[in-house]
Amino acid sequence: MMEAMSEAVSKSLGKTVTLEPTSGGGYSGGGGASTSALIDPETNTKYFCKSAGGGHDMLKAEYLGVKEMSDTHTIQVPTPIAFGEGPNNVAFVVFEYLDFCGGGSQYELGVQLAKMHKCFSANGKFGFHVDNTIGATPQPNLPWMDDWADFWDTHRLGHMLKLTGDAGMSKAAVEKLREKTRELLSHKPEPSLLHGDLWGGNKSFARVDAKVVPIIFDPATYYGDREADIAMTYLFGGFGADFYKGYESEWPLPEGHEKRKTVYNLYHILNHDVLFGGMYLNQARGMIDSIMRY
């Protein structure tokens, strides 16, 4: 496996790199991937790696998603270096190794995220180049769609309703929810580049060139309404008032975003029911009740 990783990194960087395992696993992995740290003893350069048996599509999609964010040169992400596959169909993706630290400027985090959201899809459509995952759940992004309400109804809400057995609702109730959701999402947003899974555990701060900067990672990248990213930051905490002030200073949210927040977060709560079960379905039903009252 080390040989396959070394070859992939060497090809990407255009120089010979020989990798060995070392201590320090960096940030956590999502979707069932294993994480580890690697080092090139020749240069003492460390790298971060994710690997998964049978994880070719999942890790290739993550590589492409992080690369898409990296190429905007806005908010810092772990630079993706190489993707490949080793023995026994074990796929891997290698990133730069980041020196994480305890905290930093949430205001700057908001500013930099807004700058990334100003990067729109080249084709003017909603979706992404590949399907990916949200946690361990498949997340469809194709085909690309011209209309945001169509995209959300098909690839997000409709998809999760299928996975949750319509959240225990009748066909009539499902149709009313989908109709109401389309009504609420008729505001014609730009197709912004999104992180896609922006809860507090997927952001941090790191020392880069002697400066502490905000970092986001473990994405479920696609082009969509920027409000979907902001909505998720409210779900599980970790984002302070300064984050929202920073974001608003760069690109204020439009009227109606408070109602749409519930629509977008319903997707994640339904996904949590898929992944973990428990009380999430009851929480989802409460959110559905709120949406239907808007």
Side-chain angles (χ1 to χ4, degrees), residues 78-286:
T79 303
I81 296 171
F83 167 81
E85 200 162 34
N88 302 314
N89 295 318
V90 176
F92 61 84
V93 59
V94 179
F95 300 93
E96 70 171 322
Y97 189 94
L98 291 171
D99 180 20
F100 285 86
C101 56
S105 171
Q106 291 243 349
Y107 188 93
E108 186 63 19
L109 173 64
V111 169
Q112 292 300 318
L113 180 68
K115 288 181 177 180
M116 187 184 83
H117 285 166
K118 289 180 177 179
C119 300
F120 307 130
S121 60
N123 60 11
K125 299 186 179 191
F126 301 97
F128 197 55
H129 315 294
V130 295
D131 294 332
N132 48 28
T133 55
I134 179 79
T137 305
Q139 175 171 271
N141 299 310
L142 294 169
W144 293 84
M145 292 191 175
D146 295 300
D147 183 79
W148 173 240
D150 287 344
F151 177 88
W152 192 264
D153 180 64
T154 302
H155 291 329
R156 295 295 180 265
L157 177 59
H159 174 60
M160 281 298 168
L161 287 172
K162 288 178 184 176
L163 295 181
T164 59
D166 286 338
M169 295 187 296
S170 67
K171 287 186 178 180
V174 168
E175 286 306 310
K176 288 180 180 178
L177 171 64
R178 294 178 77 159
E179 182 180 343
K180 184 66 175 180
T181 298
R182 293 179 68 89
E183 175 190 319
L184 291 168
L185 299 188
S186 61
H187 58 301
K188 304 297 182 184
E190 297 275 11
S192 295
L193 181 60
L194 307 185
H195 177 282
D197 193 12
L198 195 58
W199 67 290
N202 285 344
K203 67 99 173 73
S204 190
F205 298 90
R207 294 180 183 86
V208 177
D209 298 328
K211 181 182 177 183
V212 175
V213 299
I215 308 284
I216 56 175
F217 45 84
D218 282 357
T221 314
Y222 66 101
Y223 286 93
D225 182 5
R226 63 194 178 109
E227 292 177 27
D229 263 357
I230 298 301
M232 194 181 187
T233 65
Y234 286 94
L235 264 184
F236 306 112
F239 296 84
D242 282 350
F243 165 77
Y244 301 104
K245 289 177 183 176
Y247 190 93
E248 290 278 337
S249 75
E250 182 67 29
W251 192 8
L253 293 171
E255 185 179 350
H257 68 90
E258 288 287 348
K259 291 181 179 179
R260 291 188 289 268
K261 178 170 68 174
T262 308
V263 169
Y264 294 141
N265 283 342
L266 175 61
Y267 173 71
H268 296 294
I269 295 303
L270 288 173
N271 183 43
H272 274 61
D273 178 62
V274 173
L275 293 172
F276 310 117
M279 297 298 293
Y280 287 109
L281 192 56
N282 285 338
Q283 184 178 353
R285 287 170 178 160

